[in-house]
Amino acid sequence: MYKLPSEECKILKASVGNINIVFFGDKKRSEKYMNYFLNFEPFNSYKDRFNFFYVDKYEPDCEIYKGIALLCYSNDIVKKASSCPNDYIIVLKDAESGLRSSSYVNLVSINTNHPLSVLAHEFGHAFANFAEEYVPAKIPRGALNCVRQCTAFEGKEDGCYDGCSQQDYIRSVDNGVMRTLKAEDYGRFDEWLIENRIKEYGESEILTGA
C-alpha cells in the first residue's frame, strides 16, 4: 500500500491505476472537475487508471502570458505538487473570462470562468500532445491529430475536414473539443490516440492516506 508523503496532499479518488492527477483548488471544485473528466469519453472507460489528489492550502501565483492566457507554471508550484504523486498538475483559478486557459509541459492552467469542457481541451494538449484543431495555431512536434492525408487516420475518423492548426492540415472530426469548447467529445480518432496513451501506463498498488 502506498502512503502519502505529506499532509498537504489529500486524496479525491484512488484506484489501481498509476496516472496521477493533482488539482490545486478546494475539495468541492476539484471534485466537480474530476467528475466531469471521469464522465468524458474515453476517460470514462478507463476510470480505474487514474488517481486524483488535491492541494487546497496553497494559492498558485499565476501570470498572464502575452496578455491572452492564464499560465500558472512555476518552480514553486512544481515543488508544492511534489507533496502528491503527480503526473499532471491542474490549477483551478478564477480569472477574467477573456483569458484563455493553457497547457505547459505537464501543468494545465484552468480559468474556471470557462466551460468545463476546457479541461478536456487542455488535458488533450498535456496528455496526448494534441494540436489545436482550429486555425491558425502552431502544431507541436509529434502531434498526431493533425495530418496531411485522410489515410493517416487509419479508418478511425469521423470524417476528413480541412484546417487543423494550419489550413493545409486535416482534422478527423468537424467540431471536436480540440476545436470548440461547445463540443462534447474529442472525435473517434482522437479518442483512439488517448486510449493508446492511457495503455502506455501500467498499474500500481491502491493509494491510501496517512
Side-chain angles (χ1 to χ4, degrees), residues 152-199:
F153 295 134
E154 301 183 37
K156 298 175 176 66
E157 70 275 13
D158 293 276
C160 289
Y161 303 90
D162 291 336
C164 192
S165 282
Q166 298 177 19
Q167 290 288 359
D168 55 347
Y169 278 74
I170 298 167
R171 63 187 188 277
S172 64
V173 60
D174 190 9
N175 285 306
V177 76
M178 296 310 298
R179 179 175 173 83
T180 172
L181 298 184
K182 294 180 181 180
E184 297 180 353
D185 62 9
Y186 285 103
R188 291 176 58 228
F189 181 71
D190 289 4
E191 288 172 5
W192 179 72
L193 292 175
I194 290 172
E195 288 177 340
N196 289 341
R197 181 79 175 113
I198 290 171
K199 291 171 183 177

Side-chain angles (χ1 to χ4, degrees), residues 48-206:
D48 63 341
R49 298 296 186 96
F50 294 90
N51 302 312
F52 295 87
F53 310 89
Y54 72 101
V55 175
D56 61 356
K57 294 182 179 180
Y58 174 75
E59 185 69 24
D61 186 16
C62 302
E63 64 174 288
I64 308 304
Y65 180 72
K66 294 186 176 180
I68 61 170
L70 183 70
L71 179 61
C72 300
Y73 190 92
S74 68
N75 290 334
D76 284 343
I77 196 169
V78 170
K79 184 177 180 180
K80 283 290 183 181
S82 67
S83 66
C84 294
N86 73 86
D87 297 292
Y88 299 93
I89 303 164
I90 299 174
V91 179
L92 305 175
K93 188 85 168 179
D94 290 321
E96 295 179 8
S97 59
L99 287 174
R100 298 178 184 176
S101 298
S102 70
S103 171
Y104 180 72
V105 191
N106 70 329
L107 187 143
V108 171
S109 306
I110 295 292
N111 181 347
T112 56
N113 284 309
H114 291 167
L116 287 173
S117 55
V118 74
L119 174 59
H121 179 96
E122 298 300 341
F123 195 75
H125 290 309
F127 186 72
N129 192 37
F130 284 159
E132 308 287 10
E133 294 186 359
Y134 56 75
V135 176
K138 183 178 180 180
I139 299 179
R141 180 177 296 178
L144 299 176
N145 60 318
C146 294
V147 302
R148 293 282 194 178
Q149 297 180 333
C150 293
T151 53
F153 295 134
E154 301 183 37
K156 298 175 176 66
E157 70 275 13
D158 293 276
C160 289
Y161 303 90
D162 291 336
C164 192
S165 282
Q166 298 177 19
Q167 290 288 359
D168 55 347
Y169 278 74
I170 298 167
R171 63 187 188 277
S172 64
V173 60
D174 190 9
N175 285 306
V177 76
M178 296 310 298
R179 179 175 173 83
T180 172
L181 298 184
K182 294 180 181 180
E184 297 180 353
D185 62 9
Y186 285 103
R188 291 176 58 228
F189 181 71
D190 289 4
E191 288 172 5
W192 179 72
L193 292 175
I194 290 172
E195 288 177 340
N196 289 341
R197 181 79 175 113
I198 290 171
K199 291 171 183 177
E200 290 176 3
Y201 287 81
E203 295 184 350
S204 62
E205 294 184 350
I206 192 168

